[in-house]
Amino acid sequence: MDSCDVLIVGGGPAGSSCAWSLRNSGLRIAILDKQLFPRHKVCGGWITPAVLDALQIELAEYAQGRTLQPITGFRTSYIGGPEVETHYGEPISYGIRRFEFDDYLLQRSGARLLQGEALTHLARSGEEWIVNGRLRCAMLVGAGGTFCPVARFLGAKVSREIVVAAQESEFEMDERQLFACSISGPVPELYFCSDMKGYGWCFRKQNLLNVGLGRLDQHQLSKHVGEFLKFLKAAGKLPLDAPPALGHAYLLFGVTPRNMVGEGVLLIGDAAGLAYPQSGEGIRPAVESGLLAGAVIAAAQGCYSRDRLDCYRTLLTERFGKSGTHSMTSIAGLLPTGLIGFAARRLLDTSWFARTVVLDRWFLHSNEPSIDAFLQHVN
Ligand SMILES: Cc1cc2nc3c(=O)[nH]c(=O)nc-3n(C[C@H](O)[C@H](O)[C@H](O)COP(=O)(O)OP(=O)(O)OC[C@H]3O[C@@H](n4cnc5c(N)ncnc54)[C@H](O)[C@@H]3O)c2cc1C
């Protein structure tokens, strides 16, 4: 039977970051993914600088042959309302393509890659895991996204959880469409739904356009997306009919918590349900939870009991807080339904609210310390 010390199920940003953090640990690390990389991933492809810092990614090196769109501001509004433009004068985010980004992270992770094989069978034998009846490991990391089989093994009831459902479409524009497109690469646009249960976006990444919409309420998502695309077209923002949007669902941190720790097992990224509740940003929590899990595994020195691993749960609470709100944006959770639309329109019209609350607090998390501050506590 094949074997490794740590098997990571899922080679997205969470899984590859966990492996990367263990690259000098002396442990034999393998990543199992059901897909062959590079693979498509439904996503807006917006990342914050904290992601690049945490993974020590050199911007110039990454940009060679890959899409990297610096973002220096945002345009915010409610759908159909006046737009507020906020400028920072320096990059405060980046646009990437998941097809390229995830493959880059996976190839530099240092792990043995087992691609094109899904985890279909999981069993415990003494202090070991037996995966697909052919692979033995002492430590298992569930990084397989929202529907991760390891999360199900730990008791996740996927059909009963409250999820964000989102759809996006990313496509290349030709010369004529590039000329006709009014979206600026450095200043992407965010449009909030009037009930504040979600938002749409329009990101230009060099010659690509990514448009999408995510909502906490899955009801009639395709209708909301269709109406949003119609609005963009009528407003002259979309220079062509966007190809059909693809969708996916994921969990927000603290909304429907999952059991993330067991004997010889941890969950990270979307498998643990960690996306930021206000913006739906999931890449940063995926990367950071991967790094925290890696540090906990290295510190455990081969003793992977639940008690030894339980500090991971504490670290996540310290890093991300106790619980999120039940809405994608804070005001929807604070006000009676009838007032939400009115309040949202008034607030989103002001440049103070757009910058201080929407961008700095909800989207950029400007006041949060870097993950290094939390990694130092692991021993
Ligand atoms: C429409 C949309 C737009 C989004 N936009 C953004 C954005 O702009 N910025 C942002 O930060 N976040 C965004 N997110 C959220 C973000 O995509 C996720 O939070 C992020 O991908 C989580 O990373 P992960 O590594 O945990 O999981 P994933 O990236 O989903 O990776 C999981 C991996 O596990 C593999 N896998 C699954 N099942 C198995 C199995 N049985 N066996 C083996 N392998 C398996 C999959 O093939 C996959 O490669 C968006 C999400 C959606 C749906």
Side-chain angles (χ1 to χ4, degrees), residues 146 156-164 216 250-260 270-274 323-326:
T146 313
K157 300 272 182 291
V158 179
S159 58
R160 289 197 222 142
E161 293 171 320
I162 302 170
V163 296
V164 169
L216 192 63
Y250 60 112
L251 302 171
L252 300 178
F253 182 64
V255 175
T256 17
R258 281 185 173 177
N259 178 21
M260 302 170 197
D270 276 4
L274 299 178
S323 70
T325 68
H326 282 254

Side-chain angles (χ1 to χ4, degrees), residues 93-212:
S93 286
Y94 294 91
I96 48 91
R97 298 190 79 182
R98 291 294 297 274
F99 184 74
E100 297 168 348
F101 186 71
D102 290 14
D103 188 47
Y104 171 83
L105 296 187
L106 191 65
Q107 300 308 329
R108 81 199 278 267
S109 70
R112 179 177 159 208
L113 304 181
L114 306 169
Q115 300 184 58
E117 178 180 350
L119 186 152
T120 51
H121 191 262
L122 189 56
R124 195 89 175 122
S125 165
E127 297 205 337
E128 287 189 324
W129 294 98
I130 311 286
V131 171
N132 291 352
R134 66 161 202 90
L135 187 58
R136 258 182 325 110
C137 65
M139 180 70 209
L140 188 68
V141 179
T146 313
F147 306 101
C148 181
V150 184
R152 291 175 195 266
F153 196 91
L154 281 179
K157 300 272 182 291
V158 179
S159 58
R160 289 197 222 142
E161 293 171 320
I162 302 170
V163 296
V164 169
Q167 293 185 357
E168 62 87 6
S169 178
E170 186 166 280
F171 47 92
E172 202 163 337
M173 294 180 284
D174 63 24
E175 287 286 312
R176 194 178 50 82
Q177 291 156 348
L178 281 170
F179 185 73
C181 178
S182 69
I183 309 293
S184 144
V187 187
E189 311 200 352
L190 304 173
Y191 308 84
F192 289 86
C193 300
S194 55
D195 59 5
M196 294 303 281
K197 285 192 174 170
Y199 69 93
W201 63 86
C202 217
F203 282 171
R204 180 171 176 171
K205 306 171 202 171
Q206 293 155 1
N207 57 346
L208 298 162
L209 202 61
N210 184 300
V211 290

Side-chain angles (χ1 to χ4, degrees), residues 27-73:
L27 295 166
R28 294 171 304 146
I29 315 295
I31 296 179
L32 179 81
D33 199 294
K34 65 180 179 186
Q35 299 205 52
L36 293 173
F37 283 62
R39 57 103 174 86
H40 177 74
K41 168 75 184 84
V42 177
C43 186
W46 155 66
I47 55 168
T48 40
V51 168
L52 302 171
D53 293 345
L55 294 173
Q56 297 166 22
I57 293 174
E58 265 290 319
L59 278 181
E61 192 253 329
Y62 179 79
Q64 277 174 24
R66 298 180 195 89
T67 300
L68 183 72
Q69 172 65 61
I71 294 170
T72 55

